[in-house]
Amino acid sequence: MRVGARVTMVSDTQLDDDRTSAVIDPTEKKCGVNVFRAPRIANRAIAAYPHRAWLLLALTGLMVDITHYLNDCKFILVSNREPYEHMRGPGGIEVKQPAGGLVTALDPTMRRTHGTWVAWGSGTADRDVSDETGRVAVPPGEECYTVRRVWLNDADINGYYHGFSNRALWPLCHMLIQHFEFRTEYWERYRTVNLRFAHAVADEAERCTGRAMAWIQDYHFALASEYLRAMRPSLFIHQFWHIPFPPADILRLLPAGIHEAVLRGMLGNDLVEFQIDRYAVNFLDCVDKFVAEARVDHVHQTVSFRDRVIHVGAFPISIDVDRFEWMAASDDSRARVATLRGRYAKGTRQLGVCVDRIDYTKGIPERIRALETMWSESPELRERFTFIFVCTPSRTDLPAYNALERDVTQSVMAINEKFGTPEWTPIVLINENVDSDLLAAVYRSADLCIVSSLQDGMNLVAKEFVACQLDERGVLILSRFTGSAEEIDGALLMNPFNVDGFVAAIRTGLEMSPEERRRRMHRMRRQLHNSTIFDWLDSILARSTEIMGAQHQLHAVV
Ligand code: ADQ
């Protein structure tokens, strides 16, 4: 029988439903891959979440109060994705809140500071509810802050987003240059869209009588700060770069003139924030090499440029630790853990998990290769553990991502075909977004979590796994090339390119004693509690207001 013909699909409600074993016939398991196709309920679940989380945090007083940093200063946030999307649905206009830590962390801040969030208006009904400048009050019914939408047409999305952002900057920053593709059209659109965003932010700053602070998110806007600086010279502008920043030899693969333009664009900021120090150092090196008129102080991590001083620093992002712990501790989660372990970790069998967007940076083929090598070379390990792969398709408009998704599914099928038995499916593939409550239960149920990114700015999955490990039984096997590896002390670090080293790390994890696991996990959990997403936000705003204060004093003297 053709391997491809054996894909068993069940919903995520069946993942924690005992009847699933009846759905997946054991003989089918032998040749097939169990693909759990979860219904698209993530948005529904998350749309309901902020109020719950907000209430929870307000009640328990867990949220760090960062509003005092802002005082009378208007907070203008800029990101590609918007925090609320209005969509046309069968029953009228629905509001959805995209999943993601950034929205979870910043939505409460925006509510309290009544700021403005500038983002691409991507919802099908966004125009219907916004005014002529693209402004709409959110959240619906509460109307605490403003979303200012920037409209993009298909050509903009293709050039700015799929093109320069995701085909040029994304692979370059991750140093995976085989995926790098530069087109002049992409660059031109990127410039146009960055300029459009800068105009929107300048207009928002114009509307307020007092001071304003603009905080720009990520690599989609490398040029926006410079444009904005020209429009509003005294505005405080800072930017968080979520992905790695490459060394000079990689950045210069962008055509002459363009890698310099990217750096000059970023020097429009007052503060540039990276995940870890290594990326900040790479940025400063690049500026030193390519921007002739800039003076770099490597010790204080500042750049003097066009009569201004730009500060650079490392601010490692994290997760809402309490929220993940709370989800993992719920009764629902406990029941799901029992079901998952009953099904996949019977007796001494262990359960491994991994959670990724399907992206070539995440090292998914490398992980599959390590598992295959391990089960080929060490038959005695074959039934020792089952692996749950939660892999969401992403950026499906790009051919490289589609090819990878096909490749992952086929490789998993081949492994299950080669090693599976009527009693054992080596890899269970869930190839959709799962809601965060279920994710928390999956993390909690695991004995092993593998994060094998080839490069990753931080990697939040590693932190989510640690947060949900309430029983402290799990081992984290973590790629050295993630920002998390420089932060978390207690993981088994490995190099995903080194097949034998990768296999050795899995073997060490499997064989680690319960005491050693507990000791390591305990240490990681303690660290994580001292470094949550609210600490991240707090440290960035503290640094920003410090720099703003110093600028103020300087201007007062001059
Ligand atoms: P990402 O590349 O998206 O983020 P990561 O940090 O791992 O990578 O965050 C992924 C998020 O998506 C996690 O919260 C995870 O739970 C969720 N997720 C992944 N697959 C899922 C699935 N199948 N179902 C449900 N949820 C899923 C970028 C950078 C990272 C950096 C973050 C934050 O590439 O390096 O850590 O931004 O700055």
Side-chain angles (χ1 to χ4, degrees), residues 299-313:
V299 176
H300 297 100
Q301 299 199 305
T302 56
V303 181
S304 302
F305 179 66
R306 295 179 184 159
D307 298 329
R308 295 170 37 248
V309 176
I310 295 94
H311 300 256
V312 176

Side-chain angles (χ1 to χ4, degrees), residues 22-42:
V23 177
I24 304 165
D25 180 272
T27 51
E28 287 216 342
K29 276 200 217 167
K30 172 142 177 28
C31 317
V33 49
N34 296 330
V35 178
F36 290 93
R37 189 168 283 282
R40 293 191 179 277
I41 60 168

Side-chain angles (χ1 to χ4, degrees), residues 242 275 357 362 390 392 433-434 456-460 464:
H242 288 253
Q275 301 270 22
R357 284 185 303 105
K362 302 293 178 185
V390 186
T392 322
N433 236 8
V434 301
D456 214 328
M458 177 53 61
N459 193 281
L460 297 179
E464 291 168 2

Side-chain angles (χ1 to χ4, degrees), residues 402-472:
N402 279 318
L404 181 63
E405 190 189 337
R406 268 196 312 277
D407 183 40
V408 167
T409 308
Q410 279 166 8
S411 309
V412 169
M413 284 180 185
I415 285 199
N416 285 352
E417 166 96 346
K418 189 168 168 190
F419 302 115
T421 67
E423 288 75 40
W424 177 60
T425 305
I427 299 177
V428 176
L429 184 65
I430 304 174
N431 72 346
E432 288 252 351
N433 236 8
V434 301
D435 78 73
S436 32
D437 292 290
L438 178 55
L439 207 55
V442 170
Y443 286 135
R444 183 172 177 181
S445 67
D447 300 285
L448 217 73
C449 174
I450 302 183
V451 172
S452 52
S453 312
L454 306 181
Q455 286 290 329
D456 214 328
M458 177 53 61
N459 193 281
L460 297 179
V461 168
K463 296 189 176 189
E464 291 168 2
F465 172 69
V466 171
C468 294
Q469 275 286 310
L470 304 182
D471 315 298
E472 301 189 339

